[in-house]
Amino acid sequence: MIARTTAAACAALLLLAGSGAQAANRHVDIVNKTGMTMKHFYASSTGTDDWEEDILGRDVIEDGETFDINIDDGSGACRFDFKAVFDNGKALVRKSINVCEISTFTYRP
């Protein structure tokens, strides 16, 4: 009886831990400190080969500016790869960013 109760309690804790990732806030302030204008920004679940659409759309992030982005793609994933493309054509890729644990990500040269 005690073993079943302990197993049920462990299962309940695992379910709660899993739902925490589902409910995590995935809003991230993207800060541009590169000296360049960020023209495009992409975020894709780590392990995916497709960058999806440009999250900025018609917006840009000037040097020194901050832009709030909701990185939630509906999958429940917390780890994303980021790709920023700047006005000179240079792209900076950052891999496996845990958007459930951070609230700010800064691009630097």
Side-chain angles (χ1 to χ4, degrees):
M1 181 69 161
I2 292 174
R4 265 191 246 173
T5 304
T6 303
C10 288
L13 285 174
L14 286 173
L15 284 173
L16 287 174
S19 67
Q22 292 282 355
N25 179 359
R26 290 172 177 81
H27 281 264
V28 178
D29 286 337
I30 303 299
V31 181
N32 181 7
K33 299 253 182 172
T34 62
M36 300 175 281
T37 299
M38 186 183 300
K39 294 186 73 171
H40 307 283
F41 181 81
Y42 306 89
S44 291
S45 182
T46 297
T48 303
D49 292 332
D50 186 7
W51 285 110
E52 305 291 331
E53 78 272 355
D54 176 13
I55 294 172
L56 294 179
R58 294 182 178 184
D59 291 318
V60 298
I61 307 174
E62 299 289 344
D63 180 49
E65 288 186 343
T66 300
F67 195 92
D68 176 61
I69 296 176
N70 183 4
I71 311 288
D72 191 352
D73 67 354
S75 70
C78 286
R79 296 220 172 254
F80 284 79
D81 298 336
F82 291 173
K83 179 179 178 182
V85 181
F86 298 89
D87 55 357
N88 66 355
K90 183 177 179 180
L92 293 176
V93 175
R94 301 295 184 254
K95 296 201 175 254
S96 196
I97 308 300
N98 189 333
V99 299
C100 295
E101 293 182 356
I102 66 166
S103 60
T104 302
F105 186 85
T106 302
Y107 272 92
R108 300 182 191 283

